[in-house]
Amino acid sequence: MAAIVEAKNVVKTFMGVRVLDDVSLRIDPGEKVAMVGPNGAGKTTLVRSLLGFYHIDGGTIRVAGHDPIKARTDVLREVSFIPQLPPPVRLSVSELLTFIERSTGTPQARIVAQAEAMELDIRSHRHKPFFKLSGGMKQKLLIAIALARRSRLFVFDEPTANLDPAAREHFYRLLSSLDYEHATIFITHRVEEIEGLANRKVTMDLGKVVEDETL
Amino acid sequence: MKNIGLVAYLDIRESLRAKWFYVYAFVFGGLMGLFFISGITDSVVMGFTGLSRLLLVFIQVTIIILPIFILITTVKSIAGDRESNVLEYMLSFPVSLREYYWGKLLGRFATVFFPVIVALFVGVVWGLGKGGEMPWGMIFLYSALIFALCTLFLGIAFFISTLVKSHDVALGLSFTVWIVLLAFIDVALIGLMMQNRVSDELILTLAMLNPLEAFRIGAIALFDPELTVIGPVAYYLLDTLGHTLLMLYAVLYPVLLGIVFALLGFWAFKKRDLL
Ligand SMILES: Nc1ncnc2c1ncn2[C@@H]1O[C@H](COP(=O)(O)OP(=O)(O)OP(=O)(O)O)[C@@H](O)[C@H]1O
Ligand SMILES: [Mg+2]
């Protein structure tokens, strides 16, 4: 089976510090990875490298078989990403949805329906700038967008920080009800919360993968 | 390249909601209004009359304030997008870097170019209402100069914002570029000239390599060299290069320079970490 993520001996230095120090990680389709580790361990840096934001200083990365730098858009077509904090996007909700529909081919109606499943009514907020939504609403919309894309790989960088417990439950339920094969990287500091969702736990510290266990 | 128009369109939509855009449009619109109230069109000073004089003053003020406006608003929004992780989110969708960069540049171009051009044309229409002839040559030249000014400073702004990651440093650098082009180069050249060790031709050439100087000279290239306001330098240049060559230079050189900076910025955007 072809891996969805194949990182080999990845090195990334920021100002002389090895933030990723010889990281190797293979993720197969269907794997649900909980990624944990203390602040500054390099988790965000690793997923950003997978998405082609960073030029790594050593090693190789393949996502869905493509190099994230050389074939950036081929990689991104297969990946849904939710960032650590909702970005203050100044586009209105409807403009943002247009951007996503046109760039990914995801129909807006599917995003709207997905948001409804999270009890977020987008229609009444269509003309508001995204950054003026409440923290929880932003997060729900980002989740709805990510899930509606039906990607083969989901990358979540602590996506539930702004959600109330009920919304968190919704999200976990929707995530586990996706009816096709996909892989997930779920960065979290509260691994007990996503217990049912993950089948593998990868622990990072000081830029290295220090533990990798099947749950 | 199908998303380039989309990125440009969304950038324009975003700008139309931003405060800076209204300040910007208000400044150039207000400037025109101010000229009318002050009665510039009615006075005859140093050989310039009516509409020509209005347009000349407008372009001269534009040459000074347009660059700093473009630099600051552009650098602020691009460096700001990176710092607030908007860039990270928008670039997590399958849009190529080429589409994103050039789309943003096109969108920006539209938002900085149109308010100034509209103000220029409003001025022309208003001035015509007061009688006088349509100064076609001037309108055409000044539109071209504004186009060139926008291209040049957007190119520089995009270059600075992709090269410098920090918001504050990028703003500081923009301000420095502006003040150096506007004043320091001239001061330094005057200093050189007074020492009498370098030939005047060399100094003039150096001065003309400064794109803001090219704009300044370009703005008066249509006028008769006999006009006293033009001064000895412009007189000399008009006399040796001629009107046409000077105008072409004043428009093409900055456009070319702007494209070079924009390309360098794109290269840095592709070759370096995005965040
Ligand atoms: N663009 C950057 N420039 C310089 N240093 C950086 C950059 N991005 C990250 N770092 C450094 O790299 C290290 C790892 O950061 P990273 O964001 O990957 O950690 P993390 O595991 O995601 O932590 P957290 O749990 O707090 O989100 C930190 O020491 C951080 O300061
Ligand atoms: Mg992080």
Side-chain angles (χ1 to χ4, degrees):
Chain A
M1 194 165 44
I4 184 81
V5 173
E6 176 96 78
K8 283 186 189 152
N9 309 102
V10 174
V11 175
K12 177 68 192 169
T13 48
F14 283 125
M15 296 174 288
V17 181
R18 282 184 163 226
V19 174
L20 294 179
D21 190 1
D22 202 27
V23 172
S24 294
L25 182 68
R26 179 194 162 105
I27 298 176
D28 286 319
E31 283 198 294
K32 311 287 187 293
V33 178
M35 188 172 278
V36 298
N39 295 127
K43 306 180 294 292
T44 299
T45 306
L46 178 61
V47 299
R48 281 181 171 178
S49 306
L50 299 182
L51 298 175
F53 286 112
Y54 291 142
H55 293 254
I56 53 176
D57 300 303
T60 56
I61 297 178
R62 291 286 176 279
V63 176
H66 303 288
D67 181 322
I69 293 292
K70 294 201 186 86
R72 221 182 120 263
T73 50
D74 292 326
V75 166
L76 295 178
R77 251 188 284 282
E78 308 290 347
V79 186
S80 286
F81 169 66
I82 301 184
Q84 193 159 2
L85 292 169
V89 173
R90 289 182 302 269
L91 297 174
S92 71
V93 170
S94 85
E95 286 159 4
L96 180 62
L97 295 192
T98 304
F99 174 73
I100 290 158
E101 180 174 56
R102 297 267 296 275
S103 62
T104 66
T106 310
Q108 297 194 30
R110 207 153 83 199
I111 300 175
V112 173
Q114 194 63 250
E116 259 157 25
M118 302 248 344
E119 285 172 354
L120 170 66
D121 178 20
I122 297 184
R123 285 191 198 90
S124 51
H125 300 289
R126 285 190 74 80
H127 301 295
K128 257 192 204 166
F130 176 82
F131 75 91
K132 289 201 173 150
L133 301 177
S134 81
M137 282 157 68
K138 278 185 247 191
Q139 206 67 6
K140 283 181 184 175
L141 183 52
L142 295 188
I143 290 170
I145 291 166
L147 296 182
R149 287 184 58 197
R150 303 181 70 79
S151 306
R152 288 168 60 199
L153 174 65
F154 291 92
V155 176
F156 300 132
D157 198 345
E158 298 185 61
T160 57
N162 280 309
L163 295 183
D164 55 42
R168 219 173 278 160
E169 278 309 310
H170 267 303
F171 170 46
Y172 296 150
R173 199 145 14 100
L174 287 171
L175 192 60
S176 51
S177 68
L178 287 177
D179 57 357
Y180 64 95
E181 189 170 65
H182 60 276
T184 310
I185 300 176
F186 206 123
I187 299 179
T188 181
H189 287 288
R190 291 176 290 192
V191 73
E192 53 306 332
E193 252 185 51
I194 58 163
E195 216 144 88
L197 288 172
N199 52 26
R200 182 176 165 193
K201 187 173 115 187
V202 171
T203 310
M204 289 189 70
D205 195 10
L206 299 172
K208 287 180 189 294
V209 172
V210 292
E211 208 182 314
D212 190 343
E213 54 183 325
T214 313
L215 297 178
Chain B
M1 294 308 276
K2 71 182 166 71
N3 291 320
I4 209 171
L6 174 67
V7 173
Y9 165 75
L10 291 177
D11 187 73
I12 293 171
R13 291 291 298 257
E14 195 179 302
S15 296
L16 291 183
R17 265 198 308 271
K19 283 188 204 76
W20 74 261
F21 179 77
Y22 290 97
V23 174
Y24 180 78
F26 179 80
V27 163
F28 285 96
L31 206 58
M32 266 301 172
L34 210 67
F35 291 160
F36 285 111
I37 296 167
S38 65
I40 280 180
T41 41
D42 304 322
S43 61
V44 180
V45 183
M46 292 186 289
F48 295 93
T49 52
L51 197 47
S52 323
R53 184 164 150 72
L54 171 88
L55 293 179
L56 179 64
V57 177
F58 180 71
I59 197 85
Q60 283 175 332
V61 177
T62 300
I63 288 171
I64 296 174
I65 61 177
L66 189 69
I68 191 69
F69 250 113
I70 293 182
L71 284 171
I72 288 195
T73 58
T74 307
V75 163
K76 218 166 113 58
S77 86
I78 294 186
D81 274 0
R82 180 164 37 224
E83 239 154 62
S84 63
N85 292 339
V86 168
L87 190 70
E88 177 189 37
Y89 188 63
M90 298 310 274
L91 287 181
S92 74
F93 295 97
V95 192
S96 74
L97 297 183
R98 181 177 289 132
E99 289 166 334
Y100 193 82
Y101 184 91
W102 297 108
K104 277 271 168 196
L105 197 103
L106 274 180
R108 278 278 135 168
F109 188 89
T111 41
V112 297
F113 182 66
F114 282 108
V116 187
I117 278 295
V118 167
L120 180 81
F121 277 88
V122 166
V124 169
V125 171
W126 199 331
L128 282 181
K130 296 198 155 213
E133 276 193 19
M134 187 76 165
W136 281 115
M138 251 179 129
I139 294 172
F140 188 73
L141 174 66
Y142 288 3
S143 303
L145 283 179
I146 293 171
F147 178 93
L149 207 56
C150 289
T151 311
L152 172 67
F153 285 96
L154 273 177
I156 296 179
F158 271 67
F159 176 69
I160 291 178
S161 3
T162 48
L163 213 67
V164 182
K165 293 277 160 77
S166 142
H167 194 156
D168 299 328
V169 178
L171 275 183
L173 194 57
S174 302
F175 190 74
T176 311
V177 166
W178 178 68
I179 201 78
V180 163
L181 292 181
L182 198 66
F184 285 6
I185 292 185
D186 283 1
V187 172
L189 289 179
I190 290 171
L192 262 184
M193 209 166 205
M194 291 201 305
Q195 291 181 349
N196 264 331
R197 259 179 288 174
V198 208
S199 80
D200 291 355
E201 276 81 8
L202 179 65
I203 287 175
L204 276 177
T205 312
L206 287 177
M208 286 303 280
L209 284 178
N210 173 1
L212 272 190
E213 202 60 57
F215 284 122
R216 280 186 199 139
I217 305 279
I220 48 177
L222 277 177
F223 296 106
D224 196 322
E226 301 302 321
L227 289 175
T228 48
V229 69
I230 279 180
V233 172
Y235 179 87
Y236 172 83
L237 286 170
L238 277 174
D239 205 48
T240 45
L241 294 175
H243 292 272
T244 318
L245 213 59
L246 209 55
M247 281 189 275
L248 278 178
Y249 177 76
V251 173
L252 293 183
Y253 170 62
V255 167
L256 209 70
L257 211 56
I259 292 174
V260 167
F261 274 110
L263 283 169
L264 284 175
F266 178 59
W267 186 77
F269 191 56
K270 268 194 353 190
K271 292 294 165 201
R272 305 178 62 213
D273 290 346
L274 289 168
L275 301 171

